[in-house]
Amino acid sequence: MRASLRAVLVLAVSCSNASEDDVRAVLGVPDHFETPLTPAFNAPTRARVDLGRHLFYDERLSGNGTQSCASCHEHARAFADGRARPIGSTGQVHPRNSQGLANVAYFSSFTWANDTFDALEEQIRVPLTSTTPVELGLTDSVREDALDRLRNDPETVRRFASAFPEDDGAITLNTVILSLASFVRSMVSGESRYDRYLQGDAEALTAQELLGLRLFNSERFECFHCHTGTHFTASYRDENRGLRVFFNNGLYNVDGRGAYPDASRGLIDVTSDPRDMGAFRPPTLRNVELTGPYMHDGSLETLRDVLDHYAAGGSNRLDGPNAGDGRVNPFKSNFVRGFRATEEELDAVEAFLRTLTDWEFIRDVRFSDPNAR
């Protein structure tokens, strides 16, 4: 099943009716970015992106009509929410931090710790329908009532008809998911100062920021191994275990044998493989100054806290329910070895990370609430 889906994704552009130029135009891909793969069953169209934008901000899409996708993914925060952990529509607290959504069209894996999602359409179903925890709460008992709210709105009906003419404008959970995925794929962020530097503007970065870039890509700091390439995340394949983009970074060691807190133990909760204890997907660092607090549980408040964590080779918690020395976690990645660094060097890396902020992205009306005044 998963192998066949990957094959669909690999052949996505050529198998759909959309040309590469069409995909780039609809998604707003900058010239220095590659064309993202898009599934043949959901080739991007302007009508689907427009519908997805309206749905993303529509509270009628939650079971009790109180929250939208934007409640946990705020435009001004590069589609994170500023909380350590988000709160769902029924008040349940999610065990994991709300990630920013910039450039998800390029990711090969989604969520913090689940290797079963190869397509954005698969992942989007989870916040809509999950019960552990409840997020938007479109459970079986209330789903049709929520969809009827959309069906009874003439303007929404018109948008679905434009986006899905082949389905006679059907308003279903599936067409909701396809349109939301289309909008989220259009969240392409590529106008930071770092992007200007990539395109040849030698004056785009200061001397301090260039030092930070060199340190970021150095074997001493090791940052680039897990936050690599244009999109500052990692994706690689292990021939024995398939897609591998998950790492243990020594954040916890609650029992002295490598355990993470029960609320969120990482990929092990999906695979049951002991090697996956504390393994999480490294998020993109684009717009990272806007997406804190950091780590899968929002337990590190600032960028300097994150740098200090990696410089130490993990977090050593001396008291409290999660006390333990993550620096000696037996499952910790070999890339998290700790390093010596001066305050000036840490300042430089932090300065570089701030060059990844795309201020145009968070002001772009294409991503804003269409109902805002």
Side-chain angles (χ1 to χ4, degrees):
M1 174 68 178
R2 292 180 58 201
S4 62
L5 179 54
R6 281 201 195 100
V8 168
L9 293 175
V10 168
L11 296 174
V13 173
S14 61
C15 290
S16 73
N17 292 324
S19 69
E20 183 171 350
D21 287 344
D22 288 339
V23 170
R24 296 183 69 87
V26 170
L27 298 184
V29 179
D31 290 343
H32 65 295
F33 276 16
E34 67 275 26
T35 303
L37 297 178
T38 56
F41 60 82
N42 193 22
T45 66
R46 296 190 190 280
R48 290 190 185 187
V49 170
D50 175 69
L51 171 60
R53 177 189 173 203
H54 281 79
L55 293 177
F56 190 88
Y57 288 96
D58 197 333
E59 293 181 349
R60 294 176 299 180
L61 204 52
S62 58
N64 58 14
T66 64
Q67 280 195 351
S68 68
C69 303
S71 298
C72 297
H73 297 283
E74 301 173 20
H75 184 197
R77 298 181 185 271
F79 295 104
D81 71 349
R83 296 176 180 268
R85 294 178 295 156
I87 300 172
S89 59
T90 61
Q92 287 188 313
V93 179
H94 200 290
R96 293 173 186 159
N97 178 261
S98 182
Q99 295 188 39
L101 300 179
N103 296 342
V104 296
Y106 295 95
F107 297 170
S108 56
S109 175
F110 304 93
T111 77
W112 280 105
N114 192 320
D115 67 347
T116 67
F117 297 131
D118 297 315
L120 191 54
E121 286 77 6
E122 294 177 317
Q123 189 279 323
I124 283 176
R125 183 179 296 270
V126 174
L128 288 172
T129 65
S130 67
T131 58
T132 52
V134 171
E135 296 181 64
L136 290 181
L138 283 186
T139 56
D140 291 343
S141 62
V142 299
R143 187 173 304 150
E144 285 304 309
D145 289 340
L147 293 174
D148 281 342
R149 296 173 203 153
L150 304 180
R151 293 168 182 147
N152 292 329
D153 179 353
E155 187 60 27
T156 300
V157 169
R158 182 194 66 76
R159 287 195 174 90
F160 271 91
S162 178
F164 298 99
E166 69 281 7
D167 294 322
D168 296 323
I171 300 178
T172 65
L173 180 62
N174 187 55
T175 53
V176 165
I177 288 171
L178 294 177
S179 53
L180 284 171
S182 296
F183 175 58
V184 173
R185 279 197 181 94
S186 77
M187 295 176 181
V188 178
S189 174
E191 295 187 55
S192 67
R193 285 198 292 122
Y194 175 70
D195 289 294
R196 298 210 311 266
Y197 175 76
L198 284 182
Q199 295 175 86
D201 182 353
E203 305 299 319
L205 303 187
T206 67
Q208 182 193 41
E209 291 159 354
L210 288 170
L211 172 61
L213 172 58
R214 290 194 295 273
L215 291 169
F216 183 93
N217 287 321
S218 71
E219 294 292 344
R220 174 157 57 107
F221 276 61
E222 303 274 19
C223 311
F224 73 98
H225 289 292
C226 300
H227 298 282
T228 187
T230 305
H231 304 293
F232 291 90
T233 184
S235 177
Y236 69 91
R237 298 180 187 277
D238 179 293
E239 63 181 9
N240 296 315
R241 302 178 65 202
L243 189 67
R244 303 298 300 156
V245 294
F246 303 87
F247 302 92
N248 180 317
N249 68 0
L251 191 62
Y252 293 104
N253 186 5
V254 298
D255 64 353
R257 298 190 299 256
Y260 269 45
D262 288 340
S264 189
R265 303 188 307 160
L267 191 60
I268 189 174
D269 288 333
V270 174
T271 66
S272 299
D273 187 333
R275 296 175 297 174
D276 290 331
M277 175 63 76
F280 291 90
R281 185 181 71 85
T284 178
L285 297 183
R286 282 185 171 273
N287 301 299
V288 68
E289 75 169 294
L290 304 176
T291 60
Y294 305 101
M295 302 301 179
H296 71 275
D297 58 354
S299 59
L300 298 184
E301 186 70 23
T302 67
L303 285 176
R304 183 51 66 94
D305 291 339
V306 174
L307 292 175
D308 288 343
H309 163 86
Y310 284 112
S315 291
N316 184 20
R317 302 169 191 273
L318 299 178
D319 50 37
N322 297 325
D325 192 349
R327 297 172 301 177
V328 295
N329 189 305
F331 304 109
K332 190 180 69 169
S333 167
N334 290 331
F335 295 132
V336 186
R337 296 178 296 185
F339 51 83
R340 292 180 180 272
T342 66
E343 288 299 308
E344 290 76 17
E345 288 176 324
L346 293 173
D347 287 344
V349 174
E350 184 172 351
F352 164 67
L353 292 174
R354 294 179 188 277
T355 73
L356 303 179
T357 303
D358 181 350
W359 297 105
E360 295 303 315
F361 177 69
I362 66 168
R363 300 185 188 110
D364 196 325
V365 295
R366 293 176 300 164
F367 309 128
S368 65
D369 183 348
N371 300 309
R373 296 183 182 275

